[in-house]
Amino acid sequence: MDGLPRAPAAVDDAADALAALRFGVAVFAPDGVLAVVNPQFSLLAGLPADLVRPGLGFADLRAAFAATGCACDDPASVFGALVSAEKGEAVSVRCRRQDRTVVNIACDPLPGGGWTVALTDGGDLARAEEEEAQRRAALLTSIIENVPHGICVYGPDRRVRLFNRTYVEVMKGAPVAIGDHIADVVRRRAEAGEYGPGDAAAVFDEQMAYDIGRPQMRRRRRPDGTAIDVRTAPLPDGGHISVVTDVTRLTEAEDRASQRARDMAVMLDSIRHGITLWDANRVVVAANQKATELLGHADGALAPGRSIGEVVDRLLAQGELGEGDEGERRAVQLLARDWSGTYEREFVTKAGRLLHARSTPTPDGGFVSTFTDITEQRAAEKELRRAKEAAEAANRAKSRFLATMSHELRTPLNAIIGFSDALLREAKPEPVRIEEYADQINAAGRQLLALINSILDVSRIEAGRFDLSNDMVDLPRLLHAAARRADPEAQAAEIGVTVAVPDGVPPLRADQRRLSQALDHLIGNAVKFTEPGGSVTLGASVGPDGWLVVGVADTGIGIAQADLERVFEPFTQIDSALSRRFQGSGLGLYVARALIEAHGGRLVLKSRLGAGTVAEIRIPPERMVPPAPKPAQEDPA
């Protein structure tokens, strides 16, 4: 030793440093020969110290590892790492020995060739990792046991690996055990009716056909009445997980909500109003069938999700908002309207319905539209107004009747009483005076009788008890007779009455007495309302339409256009004051029109104020009697 040269001090320091390291280091030259090694290397490698010395070949080291130093659970990875190091590759591997010690092996190439092999004790890290793994496993187990979902895990062999307590609770009555094959589990449950009614074998085949290689979700009702959601998903190791959730309360709530929705729909569809609920974005939330019907929409036009723009566009296309520019203007108004306040309007649909529309805001910024068909209501109101007006008119007619009758009855009665009193006061009246008074009493009595007959005719007309005879009527003769009856009154009023009937006017089938009565009323009116010096003309002809026209024309005061129909009302005179200029009951035109209409004819007035009046009686063709055919002439030869 004393004769050998000593190594420099730097070499000694390096050797001391290597020896002090807590991990083992071995440096191999480019030719694979061990150049430098510290004591920790052989200790961690589990090799004899006298074996691992400089000059040891790398192949010998691998052989020593194989013989004694690499009794680990994965020797292939260790030898693979050593081979890679010899090729100049950087590798690292963990060796877990059978005595549960752990050695980390790291191989790194050197810049000038060769490589290093470093061994470190991984025991503390491994224990820490194992403890962490155990902690995580315990945490995972705690989570699995406490989640409100049942979990059952199947391995790649399709056998049960684990399940939690919730799975047992949710699937009560359908137990499983660790190691059960999925086919056995499904078969037991199919036979117990777990998947519903049906042949157990068919149900088994159906359940086994589900592809558990992809995530799936199903909901089913169990035999005990509970409802569960079943979710399956594949696992990385080839197995799968099944998660079951008790959704009984959820399904019951959904059923109750669905029932409430159905009840609400029935209620909405049963009321007579159309109702549409809109959200804050002007989108339909709900609408009943009545709203669709009233607005003339097609089915589905007010389905939830429809925007107000779509609804207005459909109304515009259907013509419900009007035609052309008017429809466009109303569409723009609807879209621009502020729906945050209450709004009401009435409008007529294309189908002719009168609707009352009302919009009321909702707390969430939406609004409710209601539509009410008020067509019948307005018609009823109109009918009530008409009935009210008719009642008022009847009341006025009653007042007129009382006023007129009191006046018309008093006049002839005063004459009868006055002349009879005069006869009674005179002890020996002269024959001439008796004849004069008797004529006046007779005339007053006839006037009173005519008035009473007119009142009786009115009562018969209104009661619908008006019978007609079927006489053969010679119209020219009828007109001349009517003119003669009116002549005394006309002469007294200085009015001329003429008859102008052309030849060829056919006879009629009618009630001659009633026609005469109607003519007397018309001629009497004409004479009464014609000034002295005027005239009344009776005529008859067959018009182009085949109807027979009988006219009574006068040159009297005439009637205003607005009063041409009103004069046909009973007890009506245009001059209605008690001190009116023209006397009469106001029944003549009413009775005359009723008599003519009873024959299937019509009575109309044509007149102007100050220009006279023409009363036209129009008799239908079927009332005329065609002329009899002339007998054939015999041949004189």
Side-chain angles (χ1 to χ4, degrees):
M1 289 291 292
D2 293 339
L4 294 175
R6 296 181 60 84
V11 174
D12 292 338
D13 292 340
D16 292 341
L18 286 173
L21 291 176
R22 300 177 61 182
F23 56 88
V25 177
V27 180
F28 290 87
D31 58 358
V33 174
L34 180 61
V36 177
V37 64
N38 69 348
Q40 286 292 107
F41 187 88
S42 58
L43 180 63
L44 292 173
L47 297 174
D50 58 348
L51 174 64
V52 184
R53 298 171 63 105
L56 179 68
F58 192 66
D60 296 330
L61 178 64
R62 288 203 308 271
F65 264 111
T68 59
C70 193
C72 65
D73 56 1
D74 190 11
S77 62
V78 174
F79 291 122
L82 294 177
V83 170
S84 297
E86 192 174 8
K87 295 178 179 179
E89 299 175 2
V91 293
S92 62
V93 67
R94 174 173 292 183
C95 176
R96 186 181 296 274
R97 293 173 173 169
Q98 294 176 352
D99 61 359
R100 302 187 65 81
T101 60
V102 177
V103 176
N104 296 320
I105 303 174
C107 303
D108 295 289
L110 295 174
W115 61 93
T116 63
V117 177
L119 304 180
T120 56
D121 185 357
D124 292 340
L125 179 60
R127 283 189 295 274
E129 290 177 349
E130 184 174 354
E131 291 173 357
E132 178 64 17
Q134 291 175 349
R135 188 186 67 81
R136 290 182 179 180
L139 178 62
L140 180 59
T141 299
S142 176
I143 292 173
I144 290 175
E145 285 297 323
N146 290 281
V147 294
H149 305 279
I151 297 175
C152 183
V153 177
Y154 291 84
D157 58 358
R158 308 196 74 178
R159 293 186 179 276
V160 176
R161 275 188 175 177
L162 65 89
F163 53 86
N164 64 353
R165 181 177 61 255
T166 306
Y167 187 87
V168 175
E169 295 171 354
V170 173
M171 298 303 297
K172 185 178 181 180
V176 294
I178 301 299
D180 279 352
H181 194 277
I182 189 171
D184 298 327
V185 174
V186 172
R187 183 175 290 104
R188 287 198 306 269
R189 292 179 176 178
E191 292 172 350
E194 186 70 32
Y195 305 109
D199 179 68
V203 173
F204 171 80
D205 293 340
E206 178 186 358
Q207 295 296 317
M208 292 300 294
Y210 281 112
D211 181 12
I212 60 174
R214 60 184 181 85
Q216 295 190 43
M217 195 280 282
R218 301 187 297 279
R219 176 173 291 182
R220 72 170 187 261
R221 181 76 62 176
R222 299 192 62 221
D224 62 0
T226 59
I228 59 172
D229 277 348
V230 182
R231 294 175 175 83
T232 59
L235 296 175
D237 64 354
H240 74 278
I241 185 172
S242 176
V243 179
V244 294
T245 306
D246 188 341
V247 293
T248 305
R249 297 179 67 178
L250 174 62
T251 56
E252 289 174 350
E254 290 175 347
D255 290 343
R256 288 193 297 270
S258 298
Q259 185 60 47
R260 284 196 297 270
R262 289 191 294 271
D263 293 342
M264 184 65 69
V266 170
M267 181 185 70
L268 290 178
D269 287 338
S270 298
I271 63 178
R272 67 184 186 92
H273 305 280
I275 299 178
T276 305
L277 174 62
W278 305 80
D279 65 14
N281 296 318
R282 308 299 183 255
V283 173
V284 176
V285 177
N288 65 351
Q289 184 63 28
K290 194 66 175 179
T292 301
E293 294 174 3
L294 292 178
L295 294 175
H297 283 306
D299 289 341
L302 289 177
R306 297 281 188 185
S307 68
I308 193 171
E310 294 177 286
V311 175
V312 170
D313 287 345
R314 186 179 291 271
L315 287 173
L316 180 62
Q318 294 173 178
E320 293 289 348
L321 301 181
E323 301 296 334
D325 294 340
E326 174 65 17
E328 294 285 351
R329 183 184 63 80
R330 291 183 63 188
V332 171
Q333 287 179 341
L334 282 173
L335 292 174
R337 176 165 293 133
D338 179 11
W339 301 97
S340 61
T342 300
Y343 171 75
E344 294 186 62
R345 70 185 181 100
E346 292 182 2
F347 63 95
V348 179
T349 68
K350 194 174 182 181
R353 288 174 169 171
L354 178 62
L355 300 186
H356 176 269
R358 178 184 176 90
S359 171
T360 306
T362 57
D364 62 354
F367 61 96
V368 176
S369 299
T370 58
F371 304 93
T372 306
D373 188 345
I374 58 174
T375 308
E376 294 182 359
Q377 177 184 337
R378 287 290 184 267
E381 291 174 357
K382 184 177 180 180
E383 183 62 24
L384 285 174
R385 284 195 300 271
R386 190 202 64 76
K388 179 176 177 291
E389 291 169 358
E392 291 173 348
N395 188 56
R396 290 193 299 270
K398 179 189 70 173
S399 300
R400 287 197 305 268
F401 170 75
L402 293 174
T404 302
M405 287 302 100
S406 64
H407 181 81
E408 295 297 326
L409 290 172
R410 187 166 52 245
T411 300
L413 285 174
N414 284 339
I416 293 171
I417 294 171
F419 286 114
S420 61
D421 282 346
L423 288 173
L424 291 173
R425 281 195 303 269
E426 297 183 16
K428 292 182 179 181
E430 297 178 0
V432 176
R433 192 177 296 276
I434 292 174
E435 182 179 355
E436 178 187 354
Y437 287 178
D439 286 341
Q440 294 293 337
I441 292 172
N442 182 269
R446 289 183 181 277
Q447 181 182 351
L448 188 58
L449 179 61
L451 180 60
I452 292 173
N453 285 336
S454 293
I455 295 173
L456 290 175
D457 286 339
V458 170
S459 66
R460 291 190 190 98
I461 291 168
E462 293 183 347
R465 294 183 287 105
F466 208 78
D467 298 325
L468 298 176
S469 62
N470 195 25
D471 306 323
M472 179 72 76
V473 180
D474 185 335
L475 188 59
R477 180 178 295 179
L478 186 72
L479 293 177
H480 283 287
R484 285 193 300 271
R485 287 193 298 273
D487 190 58
E489 184 179 355
Q491 288 184 10
E494 301 180 6
I495 297 168
V497 178
T498 60
V499 179
V501 181
D503 295 336
V505 175
L508 302 176
R509 283 290 182 186
D511 188 323
Q512 182 167 317
R513 186 175 68 86
R514 294 301 189 183
L515 283 183
S516 296
Q517 186 180 352
L519 282 170
D520 289 345
H521 284 307
L522 296 178
I523 297 170
N525 266 1
V527 171
K528 183 167 55 175
F529 293 105
T530 300
E531 299 289 345
S535 63
V536 175
T537 303
L538 310 182
S541 63
V542 178
D545 57 358
W547 285 59
L548 178 62
V549 180
V550 179
V552 179
D554 65 58
T555 59
I557 61 175
I559 305 172
Q561 287 293 120
D563 295 324
L564 283 177
E565 282 299 316
R566 197 161 71 87
V567 295
F568 285 104
E569 296 177 7
F571 309 108
T572 296
Q573 283 190 349
I574 304 306
D575 180 13
S576 59
L578 292 180
S579 58
R580 61 189 181 279
R581 176 181 171 191
F582 302 104
Q583 302 300 312
S585 64
L587 295 174
L589 288 176
Y590 173 76
V591 173
R593 172 177 272 188
L595 293 174
I596 299 305
E597 290 179 347
H599 285 82
R602 296 195 293 270
L603 173 60
V604 295
L605 296 180
K606 299 177 181 179
S607 182
R608 285 188 302 152
L609 281 176
T613 301
V614 177
E616 281 189 357
I617 299 173
R618 297 178 60 82
I619 305 297
E622 57 268 21
R623 286 279 179 182
M624 290 184 284
V625 179
K630 294 182 179 180
Q633 299 269 339
E634 292 186 4
D635 190 349

